[in-house]
Every structure is written in structure tokens, then in C-alpha cells.
Amino acid sequence: MKRKFLICAAVLLSVALLQAHAQTDTTEYDLGHVKLQKKITQAITIKAADLEKLPFSNLSDAIAVWLNGYYNGKQTYVSIIDGNLNNDVNAYSIYDIEEITLIQNASVMLNGVKPSQLLLIVKTRRNEPGKSGLVVAGQTNAINSRNTSIDPSYKSTTNFYHQYYLSAYRNSEEVKAGISADYQHDVVPQLQNNLFTSSNPYRFDRFKFNGYLDVNVVKINTISINAGYVPQTNSNNFTTYSNTNHTILLDHNDNGKQQLWHGDIKISTHIIKGLTNELSAGLQHYQLSENEYNNIQPAFPPADIYTANRATKTNTRFIKDNLSYNLSTGKFNFEPNINFTYKKAIDSIALKSTVNNSPLYNLSYSVYRQSTSLLTPSLIINYANIIMLQGGFQSVLNAGKYTTFNNSKLAKAYPFTSVAINLIPAGKSAQLMVLGSYSKSVAALSDPNASVLQGIPDNATILFDDPNTHRLGSNFANPQIPLTPIATPAYNAYQANTQLQLGTSLSLLNNKLSFNYNYSIQKFVNTTSYMEYLSGAYYTLYLFPDARLDQHRFGLNLNLFHSAKFNWTSGLNATVVKYKLNFQEQLTASQSFVPNNTVFAGGFVNRINYKHAFAAIDILYRLNQDQYAPNYVVTGHFNSFDVQNLYAGYTLTSTRFKNLEVFADARNLIQNKQSDIAYDNRRYFGAGFKLGL
């Protein structure tokens, strides 16, 4: 298979190099397996420059306030980076990114997105000013953790977050090239008292090395190359003590190493007038090794010493070709498009554990192996920018090679369509559009390796809420319920998921005031079971494969104050989510935990500039949140808000450098007492700079 992959890539590369003048299309969104016209696609775009001054190690922490609020927690995004569905967005420094766009179209299901996930289009920074330059940036923040436990004796340690960045670039008429290096140190300050101490709270050190090269070859092709390498180390130590004689009960130590390599090449060509082709290929390799040590001192000797070692590897490679033709006649514009994508992914894992130096288990196996060949033809019809249609289907060329499950087989094709109607003619200061889209897909075609880098886990802050029983708790208001995958006899692994999106957008005063609304309906297979521990017994909820998720998102954006000296842009969004999950409870269960059906979440973002001064304030909120008793019974509701981001600074100019920004910043500065909206309840206070040379 590797030989076939290399031969196929070589043939397509040779064909592409014979083509003519290069062209870069900025009127479309490249979703990996299909391209969507921007005119018929609802989307939300965030400039990376608005995120550069925020301390974060996971991009989802920074953008949630701009999109759907708390609902978009960690691990809910799939990222398409420069058209490639192969990379982890956290492998890039925020300084290497130009913009991030959330796609609100049902066709995202054709591009590796699972139900309830969102698709982000990430455009890396390549068009730097001038012939050459250097960029140096850095920030340091003191961090502490908020105590939300029932024991007020816990006090937070103070630790530090660091990020430092250096890049260089050079531009000419034929070549654009750049390299960058980024270092991040993130940590979770531990809440501790006389019964629990941590000499080394959970932390990681991550380096990001990236480079790009864009070349016009004899003015007949544009070749773009990206490459990156991310090494990371993480560690954690803590000790618990008896509350009677203060002897050690548990001594825990774990450490790990991660490495990620990624690279891709894209050749963009213009064959003849209106006919364009893009050929790309890439690969990603990720590996993780972890070691864990636990010395457990029971009430009666001897002690037990547990060790565990885990090693995982993930390899993906792809080749993609996209051919399109643009034809205009009168007021009509037609654009047929065909996309071919081949992708192969292999995951493996090895586990080894001992107790008191005796083997407990030793496993080594492949947990995922899949090759997928997809052909996605589509057609765009545009009438005078008033009515725009796009439709097509995704064909699974190797559907017959997928394993039959419960007498069900993978379908050979899945349809998608989009429509947009411009209700106000062009040239007006206002614009009103209505949009709709529909698609079908299947979970078996989703991308399992969209995000591989592991950062700060949600449960990194450990609490023993009850000092008498040493009950292991968590620093969250809501219970953390473990999830276990199951398969019921009636489960159809290849049942099609469907998505319908409807929306409208209204802009007034030459886009100084805009409103948008999006409604999404997803029907999908849910194969997750909830595991509870109540009164010494486990209860399991088996969810039927007819789940439904309805989401309403409202957005209001204002740019009313805009002049040469003063600019204030503001955005307010609100998302309402409703789940419908049919489930079957085991006969032995007397009660069950059922998630709240309705969630209200959103954010309020502000960016202000006055002459050379700048400032920002972002507020995250969540309304009507359930309050749980220890047995997971809902006892009431409460609201959460968090001043998630706050910074202010000044831009200095000089003949010695292009610009120098200095700023002070804070994260999660203010929260209401019950709030659990800040994911891990860490508070940051610090300062930073960015220098252009």
C-alpha cells in the first residue's frame, strides 16, 4: 500500500507540474473534501491577532467565548489547516496563524466531523510585510487555582505560565519563506493542605518548530510546503497523608513524552482559462510514552507498588486532488468541482503494568487501522449573486472493504446541498441573506486523529474533599461521570447521520452593525453509556442510535465607533442547545443520571484601540445550569459568568524597529462563587510583549 501511495503521488505531481499559470482562490472555503463558496456559507471568522495576548495552550480555551461559549469545551473541534485535514492546530503557535473560521454548514459532516463537533478553517500566516523581518514575542503569567471544594483549608500554590516566540521570514517576487520556534510551559497549581501536598503539579513543556515555503516555479506553478515538529514533556507528583498520624497513604509520580511530526505539499495551478487544479499530499506521525508509579500504604502492611507504562503511535498520510472549472454566461455562473482524497491511518498501543514487581498485564495491539478513498463531485450555480446553489455527493470508493457489522454495510455515496438567497440587491448599505444546507454522512468516515497532542487534562486539579474518608473529588461544580463505549445488539455502525442547517444574516450601515442566526439539527447514532456508582452498585444507560441535537446560535456584532484615532468592535453571542436522547436502563437500576436537556451559553467580546493604546475584555457566561446533589439528583439551577480575558497595552514606534507592543493581561480574573465555567478554575496575571524588526 505504501508503494501504491508513493506511485500515485508521483504521477499526480508530474501531471501538476505540466500545468500553467498559478492562481490562489480567496472566494472559497477549503473544507478538505469539498470547497464551499463563501457567498453561500455562513461562517464566523476570528483574527488570530485578537488572541495573541491571551495565555492559553489549547486553542479551544481561547475561542469558545467568540463562538458557542462553554458548550464548545475541549476536544470538540476538527481543524482544516490550509486545506489539509491532517494536522493538530495546537502544533502551531498563535503567532503563526492569520485567522480561524467556524463553518456553519451541514457539509462539515463530509470532512471528518463527528456529530456535535464543529469544523474550523485555519489559515496560517504567510503574507508578512516587506522583504524580510523578525518577530520576537513573549509573556509570563503567575497562576493560582480557585478553591471550589467543601474544605476551605485547601490553599493554592503559585506557579508560572511562559510562552516565548521567535520567527524570521523573507519575501521576493518568486519565493516566500519563513521559520518559527515557540516554547510553552503550562501548569495547574495544586490546591493542598496538611493532608495533601504536590511537589510537582501537573505541567508540560512544549516546543513548536514550524516552517513554510511558497515558490513560483518559472511562473507556471505555485508550490507550497509546510513542515513542523513538536516535542513535549509532562510530569506530575503528589502525596496524600493520613489525618490521624500523618503517615503517607499514597505517593504518586508520573511523567510522559510526546512527539509530533507533520508535513505537507500543495501545488496550485491554472491549466486554461477557468480550469484550476490543486494537488496536495501530507503525513503526520505522533507518539506518546508515559510512565506511572504509585506507592500505596494500606492500613495493614505490606505496601503495594504499582507501575504502568503506556506507548501509543499514530500515523496518517493523505493525498488529495481538487479540479474545478469556472464558466460565466450572462447573469449565470457555473462551477463544477471534483475532489479525490485518499487517506490511511494506523494507530497502535502497548500497555504494561506490574504490582510489587510482578506482571499484571502486558498488551500490544493495533486499535485503529483504516484506508479511505473518497470521490466528491459537486456543482455550484450562481444567478447574479441573488440565488446561489451548491450540491453534490461523496462517494466511498472502497466501501466494500469496510467490515460488515450486524449485517449492515457502508453506503457507497452520501449527498449534500446548500442554498443562499440574497434578498437585498448588491450596492446597498444593507444586506439580508437566508441560507440553508443539508448533508448525510456516517461516523465511520470521521477523522480519529484530528487532535493528538495532549495538554492540560480536565481533572488535573485533584481534591480529597472529605478528609475523613479521603474520597477522591474534583475541582468542578458538576459531577464528572466516566464514559464507556458499548454496542447493543440492534446497533448499526453504518447508520447515516444527517444534518440540516438554516440561517440568516443581516448587515446594516455598511456592515457596522450585523446580526446572524443559525439553527442546526443533527440526527445521529449515539453509542455512549453512562456509568454511575451509587450505594455500591453500577448502573448503565444504553442509548439508542436515534439521538438528536438541536442548536440555536444568535450573534450580534457592532463596529459603530470607527475613526482614525478610535476604534471599538464588540460581539455578543448566545447559544441554546437541546438534546433528545432515547435510552434504556438496566433492570437493576432504581434511578439514573440524565443530562440537562437545555443549555444556555455564550460570550461577549470587546476590542478597543485609541491612538497607540489598546485594550480588550471578554466575558464568558452560562445560564440555567443544573446543580447536583452527591447522588446526581438535580437540586436547583445557577448561573455562571467569568471575565475570561482582560488586557491593556501600548504600541511603540521607532525607526529602529517596525513596532513594539507591551501589555498586561489577566485570565479568569473574576467569577461568581458557584461558577465552574472556566474549565479548570485557573487564574492568570502577567505581562508580555511583541517586537517586529
Side-chain angles (χ1 to χ4, degrees):
M1 183 58 68
K2 182 178 180 181
R3 183 179 180 183
K4 292 180 179 178
F5 176 82
L6 294 175
I7 292 174
C8 184
V11 171
L12 290 174
L13 179 62
S14 300
V15 172
L17 287 173
L18 295 176
Q19 312 305 333
H21 183 68
Q23 178 183 10
T24 301
D25 194 342
T26 59
T27 64
E28 297 176 320
Y29 293 119
D30 189 344
L31 274 61
H33 297 155
V34 65
K35 287 190 174 184
L36 297 180
Q37 282 278 348
K38 291 184 178 181
K39 295 178 181 178
I40 61 175
T41 306
Q42 229 176 344
I44 302 167
T45 297
I46 307 168
K47 297 296 183 182
D50 289 328
L51 308 177
E52 289 179 350
K53 301 168 184 65
L54 312 181
F56 65 90
S57 55
N58 191 319
L59 181 65
S60 63
D61 292 345
I63 63 178
V65 69
W66 295 77
L67 303 180
N68 298 337
Y70 183 86
Y71 174 66
N72 299 130
K74 297 181 179 180
Q75 306 299 321
T76 61
Y77 301 106
V78 171
S79 300
I80 309 294
I81 303 175
D82 293 334
N84 295 325
L85 207 165
N86 195 54
N87 294 338
D88 189 326
V89 68
N90 290 316
Y92 291 82
S93 170
I94 190 62
Y95 298 102
D96 290 332
I97 296 174
E98 183 174 332
E99 62 183 25
I100 302 131
T101 300
L102 170 68
I103 300 298
Q104 297 173 301
N105 187 285
S107 300
V108 298
M109 294 184 65
L110 307 175
N111 298 273
V113 175
K114 299 177 183 178
S116 78
Q117 283 187 318
L118 300 176
L119 184 70
L120 297 177
I121 301 296
V122 178
K123 181 181 179 182
T124 59
R125 192 188 303 271
R126 310 173 87 89
N127 297 316
E128 298 289 1
K131 293 184 177 181
S132 63
L134 292 171
V135 178
V136 183
Q139 63 174 301
T140 297
N141 295 80
I143 319 174
N144 60 43
S145 294
R146 190 167 62 111
N147 183 8
T148 60
S149 75
I150 61 176
D151 187 349
S153 69
Y154 281 103
K155 305 299 180 183
S156 173
T157 60
T158 298
N159 301 90
F160 290 90
Y161 167 91
H162 301 283
Q163 181 181 16
Y164 305 105
Y165 172 83
L166 174 64
S167 70
Y169 64 89
R170 187 171 182 82
N171 301 325
S172 69
E173 185 177 346
E174 302 294 337
V175 178
K176 292 182 179 180
I179 57 173
S180 68
D182 185 283
Y183 167 73
Q184 275 188 316
H185 172 85
D186 205 358
V187 61
V188 179
Q190 184 60 58
L191 295 171
Q192 54 188 20
N193 58 14
N194 62 328
L195 301 179
F196 182 90
T197 62
S198 176
S199 59
N200 181 24
Y202 190 96
R203 65 186 64 201
F204 73 76
D205 294 278
R206 176 186 294 170
F207 290 88
K208 306 176 187 180
F209 302 102
N210 286 287
Y212 69 87
L213 175 66
D214 296 335
V215 182
N216 291 327
V217 182
V218 198
K219 295 186 178 181
I220 64 172
N221 293 281
T222 296
I223 301 178
S224 299
I225 300 174
N226 298 289
Y229 171 57
V230 183
Q232 176 179 316
T233 60
N234 53 271
S235 61
N236 183 29
N237 307 94
F238 64 83
T239 304
T240 64
Y241 300 90
S242 167
N243 61 346
T244 55
N245 55 13
H246 207 69
T247 58
I248 294 178
L249 296 179
L250 171 63
D251 187 14
H252 171 88
N253 187 320
D254 68 72
N255 60 80
K257 293 182 179 180
Q258 301 179 59
Q259 295 186 79
L260 173 67
W261 293 268
H262 65 88
D264 60 79
I265 180 173
K266 178 187 292 185
I267 303 174
S268 304
T269 65
H270 183 137
I271 303 172
I272 59 175
K273 183 179 180 180
L275 183 61
T276 62
N277 186 81
E278 284 189 355
L279 169 68
S280 58
L283 55 87
Q284 176 174 280
H285 172 79
Y286 170 78
Q287 63 185 44
L288 164 71
S289 61
E290 291 182 310
N291 302 294
E292 183 176 342
Y293 170 90
N294 290 286
N295 187 340
I296 302 175
Q297 301 285 343
F300 301 98
D304 290 325
I305 298 177
Y306 289 88
T307 65
N309 307 97
R310 180 167 70 102
T312 62
K313 290 184 179 181
T314 297
N315 291 281
T316 60
R317 55 181 182 265
F318 77 92
I319 185 169
K320 181 182 76 169
D321 191 72
N322 193 89
L323 183 66
S324 63
Y325 182 70
N326 192 295
L327 173 65
S328 295
T329 173
K331 293 185 178 182
F332 282 93
N333 180 267
F334 302 90
E335 186 176 337
N337 182 286
I338 187 166
N339 177 287
F340 168 77
T341 301
Y342 169 79
K343 187 169 186 178
K344 185 172 184 178
I346 302 175
D347 294 0
S348 63
I349 185 171
L351 304 171
K352 183 179 180 180
S353 179
T354 66
V355 55
N356 297 328
N357 295 321
S358 298
L360 189 60
Y361 59 80
N362 192 347
L363 303 174
S364 179
Y365 57 94
S366 175
V367 294
Y368 183 88
R369 181 185 295 266
Q370 179 173 301
S371 297
T372 306
S373 298
L374 301 173
L375 189 68
T376 311
S378 64
L379 174 64
I380 300 172
I381 303 175
N382 184 337
Y383 175 72
N385 288 329
I386 298 176
I387 300 177
M388 292 153 280
L389 304 170
Q390 181 170 2
F393 62 90
Q394 186 171 84
S395 176
V396 186
L397 300 181
N398 61 337
K401 293 186 178 181
Y402 278 73
T403 304
T404 301
F405 190 86
N406 284 345
N407 297 319
S408 62
K409 294 183 179 181
L410 186 67
K412 294 183 178 180
Y414 298 92
F416 64 94
T417 186
S418 301
V419 60
I421 302 175
N422 190 350
L423 300 178
I424 297 180
K428 303 293 184 179
S429 62
Q431 184 180 35
L432 175 62
M433 295 190 69
V434 293
L435 308 97
S437 58
Y438 172 82
S439 73
K440 277 190 174 183
S441 189
V442 65
L445 298 178
S446 62
D447 187 4
N449 301 321
S451 299
V452 291
L453 286 171
Q454 299 180 16
I456 300 296
D458 288 338
N459 60 349
T461 301
I462 301 172
L463 290 175
F464 288 85
D465 290 342
D466 187 345
N468 296 316
T469 61
H470 290 279
R471 176 174 61 85
L472 184 62
S474 63
N475 197 14
F476 294 90
N478 283 349
Q480 302 299 297
I481 299 177
L483 302 177
T484 304
I486 63 166
T488 64
Y491 170 53
N492 178 1
Y494 300 134
Q495 178 175 323
N497 303 321
T498 63
Q499 184 172 155
L500 172 67
Q501 292 204 28
L502 303 172
T504 184
S505 62
L506 171 66
S507 63
L508 302 170
L509 305 175
N510 293 318
N511 209 33
K512 291 182 179 180
L513 174 64
S514 63
F515 169 81
N516 58 77
Y517 165 72
N518 177 267
Y519 174 44
S520 171
I521 305 172
Q522 298 184 52
K523 295 182 179 180
F524 56 96
V525 179
N526 191 314
T527 60
T528 304
S529 66
Y530 290 95
M531 301 291 291
E532 302 181 50
Y533 187 75
L534 301 174
S535 303
Y538 282 99
Y539 301 101
T540 308
L541 301 180
Y542 295 84
L543 304 182
F544 285 160
D546 55 357
R548 172 169 168 166
L549 185 151
D550 290 35
Q551 176 177 300
H552 303 263
R553 185 192 185 276
F554 306 85
L556 179 65
N557 299 297
L558 301 97
N559 190 15
L560 299 176
F561 306 100
H562 184 77
S563 67
K565 293 183 178 180
F566 181 72
N567 183 35
W568 182 3
T569 59
S570 182
L572 176 66
N573 64 80
T575 299
V576 179
V577 178
K578 189 172 184 179
Y579 298 93
K580 292 182 180 179
L581 300 175
N582 293 329
F583 59 88
Q584 178 184 14
E585 190 175 357
Q586 284 185 331
L587 297 177
T588 57
S590 59
Q591 57 182 324
S592 61
F593 168 78
V594 181
N596 180 22
N597 283 338
T598 304
V599 178
F600 301 87
F604 180 43
V605 296
N606 296 269
R607 295 295 181 271
I608 303 170
N609 292 275
Y610 177 69
K611 294 184 179 180
H612 296 292
F614 55 84
I617 181 170
D618 301 333
I619 298 175
L620 197 65
Y621 69 87
R622 192 181 188 192
L623 307 178
N624 198 36
Q625 187 174 346
D626 288 344
Q627 177 68 59
Y628 296 97
N631 61 352
Y632 304 145
V633 173
V634 177
T635 59
H637 304 275
F638 66 96
N639 302 323
S640 297
F641 76 88
D642 170 34
V643 179
Q644 189 186 47
N645 303 306
L646 180 66
Y647 67 77
Y650 194 83
T651 301
L652 302 171
T653 59
S654 171
T655 56
R656 297 182 179 180
F657 48 79
K658 295 178 181 178
N659 59 75
L660 172 60
E661 297 177 350
V662 292
F663 60 90
D665 67 293
R667 175 179 163 188
N668 301 330
L669 179 64
I670 302 174
Q671 300 174 359
N672 58 319
K673 187 175 182 181
Q674 287 183 302
S675 173
D676 72 337
I677 202 170
Y679 304 116
D680 51 24
N681 290 306
R682 290 183 293 167
R683 293 177 292 193
Y684 294 69
F685 310 88
F689 73 95
K690 180 181 179 181
L691 172 65
L693 298 172

